Amino acid sequence: MGKKDHQAQKEKDRVQSVLELLKKQAPLTVKQEKYCSNACVERFLKGKGDSVKKAAKQLRNCLAWRDSIGTDNLIADEFSAELAEGVAYVAGHDDELRPVMIFRIKQDYQKFHSQKLFTRLLVFTLEVAIQTMPKNVEQFVLLFDASFFRSASAFMNMLLATLKIIADYYPGRLHKAFVIDPPSLFSYLWKGMKPFVELSPLTVVVSSLDYEESLEFNDLTLYPRAASLRFDSSSVASSAKLGSCSSSRFSFTVSHHFDSLKPWYLSFADTSASKVGPTNPSQAFSGPAISPLNARSYSFASPVARGPRGNIDVVRKGFFPSTPMPQKTQKLDASMIHHPRTPKPSFLRSPALFFRRDHAVQMSRVEKSRESFVPFLKFYRRPYDEMIYRSKMRPPLGGLISIVSPQLKRRHMSISQRF
């Protein structure tokens, strides 16, 4: 217990030293003092490796940036069009009560809106998510739906700007960021930019196609085109009628001649009545001569394999020698057999081996990234509801609706109490 108390006292001293440095540079306002709580200063210290000077400098820059953006004046009425379309919103909370935000920004959004407006929308969404956090939760999750982007560079610019804002002004807040269905060239750009992005270890690129439920081929009633091509079981009565199959659109028939180059053909007439197979009862014991399953293999087989099954003994006799092989009279010792030694690898190997990655390690990383996105898949597929999102906003972020609606409710209750 003594070590824990000593460590906690050190953390408190660092927090107080950061606050003292801030007050020496310039006096803090009431809102700034409220923002610079002990938990906030600890996040800045953790992001800068417990360096008091670096944490104080970053916190001062954050306060100046918040004043320039006007975070205290952000309300929902400024983003009425974005809220109606569901461009950026808080979808809910995960199992650890972390808020999950979804960004479905189109590529044309930045053409008709300035970068400052996008930054204000991002900050507004982050502030709403922070307001919905319980007391013991300090992190959130981001889901970037990149399927609306056609240009990989345009989405890269938006993603880098978002991650830089979170890293500089919201340190320690990001738990995980998922990039869903990015453009095809994004993976190559991201591989080059990854070492220079601070939050790259927390960013995962996933594809929604990897989580599609596998369709059962037997249940084709939902697909009329596939249902029309289904196999008609009434045309084939039993397994004795082997050699052809038919459906409502075409029939598959195998030729009677084994030496033909094309032992099967397609026709658009229903010829299910003509079946190829052993009709003589004396040949029934040898099994079916040919079927649709092995017709293609017979077309590329040798003349010996394509010969009649009744003469198989005659054909096999030519493969055995006329004189018998001598029997083994001497037993060989396994220790006397000298196998050739495997040459040792040389010191000078190919340069390509230095850049080779272990395939198993790479696959395990891909599987881990897929599994990490599974708990947030329900938020990605859940439809957007503007009223549910607005109900999570607290004044003054909620705008006039969140401010006026409690007063209207109280007035209604007071009038009802009179009667």
Side-chain angles (χ1 to χ4, degrees):
M1 294 298 293
K3 292 183 179 181
K4 292 183 179 180
D5 295 339
H6 184 66
Q7 188 69 20
Q9 186 64 31
K10 277 187 175 182
E11 292 179 358
K12 290 181 179 179
D13 294 341
R14 293 195 194 99
V15 171
Q16 292 298 327
S17 58
V18 169
L19 294 176
E20 290 177 0
L21 284 177
L22 288 176
K23 293 178 181 179
K24 285 181 180 179
Q25 296 175 1
L28 301 178
T29 62
V30 177
K31 293 183 178 180
Q32 289 178 349
E33 289 182 356
K34 185 179 179 181
Y35 177 77
C36 296
S37 60
N38 293 337
C40 177
V41 177
E42 287 177 0
R43 286 194 299 269
F44 279 87
L45 283 170
K46 187 177 180 181
K48 292 300 179 181
D50 294 335
S51 177
V52 176
K53 293 183 179 180
K54 293 181 179 180
K57 183 180 179 180
Q58 186 182 8
L59 187 54
R60 170 58 65 181
N61 294 334
C62 178
L63 294 175
W65 175 80
R66 291 177 67 89
D67 292 340
S68 63
I69 292 295
T71 55
D72 299 331
N73 301 324
L74 291 175
I75 58 175
D77 300 335
E78 184 181 353
F79 314 101
S80 57
E82 287 80 359
L83 294 179
E85 297 179 1
V87 175
Y89 61 97
V90 179
H93 296 75
D94 61 353
D95 297 336
E96 301 295 332
L97 300 179
R98 291 183 291 256
V100 180
M101 290 174 286
I102 297 181
F103 290 87
R104 287 194 169 98
I105 302 176
K106 298 181 181 179
Q107 184 174 346
D108 300 335
Y109 181 82
Q110 295 181 341
K111 293 182 180 180
F112 303 102
H113 301 81
S114 61
Q115 183 66 26
K116 184 178 181 180
L117 183 60
F118 168 73
T119 304
R120 291 177 62 86
L121 175 62
L122 173 64
V123 174
F124 173 78
T125 310
L126 295 176
E127 293 295 329
V128 172
I130 293 174
Q131 280 188 353
T132 59
M133 288 181 181
K135 293 183 179 180
N136 299 327
V137 179
E138 295 183 351
Q139 292 181 328
F140 48 72
V141 181
L142 294 181
L143 303 182
F144 292 96
D145 188 1
S147 60
F148 297 98
F149 278 81
R150 300 177 300 274
S151 174
S153 59
F155 178 74
M156 176 64 72
N157 294 333
M158 189 206 72
L159 179 64
L160 293 180
T162 304
L163 294 179
K164 182 173 177 55
I165 290 175
I166 295 174
D168 294 343
Y169 309 119
Y170 295 90
R173 288 291 194 182
L174 182 62
H175 171 70
K176 213 75 173 176
F178 295 95
V179 179
I180 309 168
D181 297 337
S184 57
L185 297 179
F186 175 79
S187 59
Y188 301 99
L189 297 178
W190 178 246
K191 188 178 293 185
M193 296 298 298
K194 215 173 181 182
F196 307 100
V197 181
E198 183 179 352
L199 298 179
S200 60
L202 302 177
T203 307
V204 181
V205 181
V206 296
S207 176
S208 62
L209 298 178
D210 297 337
Y211 305 93
E212 294 291 337
E213 298 178 356
S214 60
L215 297 175
E216 297 181 0
F217 293 99
N218 294 331
D219 189 11
L220 298 175
T221 56
L222 300 178
Y223 306 94
R225 174 64 180 171
S228 63
L229 296 177
R230 283 183 297 173
F231 182 73
D232 190 4
S233 60
S234 61
S235 60
V236 180
S238 62
S239 61
K241 298 178 181 181
L242 297 174
S244 67
C245 67
S246 65
S247 68
S248 59
R249 290 182 177 267
F250 62 87
S251 64
F252 181 88
T253 308
V254 181
S255 176
H256 294 271
H257 304 285
F258 292 100
D259 295 333
S260 61
L261 296 178
K262 189 177 180 182
W264 51 269
Y265 62 92
L266 295 175
S267 63
F268 291 95
D270 189 4
T271 57
S272 59
S274 60
K275 305 297 179 181
V276 178
T279 57
N280 192 1
S282 61
Q283 298 178 357
F285 68 93
S286 61
I290 192 170
S291 67
L293 299 177
N294 59 6
R296 185 173 177 82
S297 62
Y298 269 104
S299 63
F300 294 98
S302 62
V304 176
R306 286 159 52 182
R309 293 179 180 267
N311 301 330
I312 190 169
D313 296 334
V314 179
V315 176
R316 285 183 177 178
K317 286 182 180 180
F319 288 96
F320 295 98
S322 58
T323 57
M325 297 294 290
Q327 299 180 357
K328 295 181 180 181
T329 57
Q330 184 180 2
K331 296 182 178 179
L332 297 178
D333 190 4
S335 61
M336 298 296 294
I337 301 176
H338 298 283
H339 298 282
R341 296 181 60 184
T342 304
K344 295 182 179 180
S346 60
F347 177 75
L348 299 176
R349 296 186 180 181
S350 173
L353 296 178
F354 294 98
F355 301 98
R356 185 186 66 178
R357 290 185 178 181
D358 193 2
H359 184 67
V361 176
Q362 191 174 2
M363 289 301 295
S364 63
R365 291 178 181 176
V366 174
E367 292 177 358
K368 287 182 180 179
S369 63
R370 290 177 180 177
E371 292 178 357
S372 62
F373 182 65
V374 171
F376 308 102
L377 185 61
K378 58 183 179 180
F379 300 102
Y380 175 72
R381 293 180 175 177
R382 184 181 299 172
Y384 170 69
D385 193 345
E386 181 182 359
M387 297 306 297
I388 295 178
Y389 178 44
R390 283 182 176 271
S391 64
K392 298 176 183 178
M393 303 177 187
R394 299 177 184 176
L397 293 177
L400 297 176
I401 297 177
S402 62
I403 296 174
V404 177
S405 59
Q407 298 177 0
L408 293 177
K409 187 176 180 180
R410 291 175 184 174
R411 183 181 178 184
H412 176 73
M413 291 296 294
S414 61
I415 292 176
S416 62
Q417 289 176 357
R418 294 179 183 178
F419 300 97

